[in-house]
Amino acid sequence: MTTVDRFLHSVLTHPLAMSLKRPLKDLWWWASGWRFANPSIPARIDSILFVCHGNICRSPFAADLAAKLLRGEGHRHVRCASAGIRTNPASRPPSEAIEAAAVFGASFDNHQPLQVSDDVIAAFDLVVVMEAAHAAELRRRYPQAAKRIVLLSLLDDSASGSYARYNIADPFGQPFATFVDCYRRIKRALTNLVTRLEVEEYQAAASGGRRS
């Protein structure tokens, strides 16, 4: 590390700089987050794919919990699965993820990562992602599915700050408490998603649409 590198590192990691980092990040997302607005949820949903970076922490938890929430509301026909944008087939969920998931009644300890692909995306009615960058990348890679790609964080009405509104941050490598906080956000957003599906179902039925 050069002298300049050391100086920049000391400046950027100074407590004052760190205290300014979140407000500046929120300001940027407040100004640019509109680009990641969600499309309308389709009137009929039979399958949901949850996507995160590596498919070992956030998306497998979301898929398992969503399936449970949907069954509880009578949507047993809705198939839930998960995948990752950049996966490692040898990776497995960390112990903190497994333990935190259990707090919410979810389980995915035997989960194996699945790589996103054209075929995987095409097999689902709705694709739910964790971060704005995920939404942007998938909409770019799979333009035919752009109207089916939804940002989960936008369904969390309790998001604190503009960054959180557009991102459910990756807890990988963080302590157990961070996983619990992350999963709590996911649960809030999923609860709202299930409610939204109920509304879409009602509206479809009222207009003569069909849901099974």
Side-chain angles (χ1 to χ4, degrees), residues 41-105:
I41 293 177
R44 180 183 178 88
I45 295 294
D46 290 320
S47 57
I48 306 174
L49 179 70
F50 293 91
V51 177
C52 67
H53 182 80
N55 191 215
I56 58 172
C57 295
R58 291 169 291 179
S59 57
F61 169 79
D64 189 81
L65 185 60
K68 289 180 170 60
L69 292 174
L70 287 163
R71 284 197 300 271
E73 294 298 324
H75 296 282
R76 294 182 177 275
H77 67 285
V78 181
R79 175 171 57 96
C80 295
S82 65
I85 293 177
R86 293 174 183 82
T87 62
N88 179 348
S91 296
R92 294 295 180 270
S95 58
E96 295 86 354
I98 301 300
E99 294 168 7
V103 173
F104 299 89

Side-chain angles (χ1 to χ4, degrees), residues 177-197:
T178 303
F179 277 86
V180 172
D181 288 342
C182 175
Y183 290 170
R184 185 176 293 116
R185 283 203 67 197
I186 291 175
K187 182 179 180 179
R188 285 199 305 263
L190 288 177
T191 300
N192 286 335
L193 175 60
V194 172
T195 299
R196 188 75 60 85
L197 292 177

Side-chain angles (χ1 to χ4, degrees), residues 157-173:
D157 298 332
S158 301
S160 176
S162 297
Y163 171 79
R165 176 165 172 73
Y166 296 99
N167 299 275
I168 296 179
D170 191 352
F172 183 78

Side-chain angles (χ1 to χ4, degrees), residues 9 29 37-38 40 55 85 94 102-103 121 124 126 136 139-140 146 148 175 185 201 205:
H9 182 267
W29 282 101
N38 278 339
S40 299
N55 191 215
I85 293 177
V103 173
I121 292 292
F124 292 86
L126 195 67
R139 289 170 184 170
R140 182 178 64 253
R148 295 186 282 115
R185 283 203 67 197
E201 179 179 38

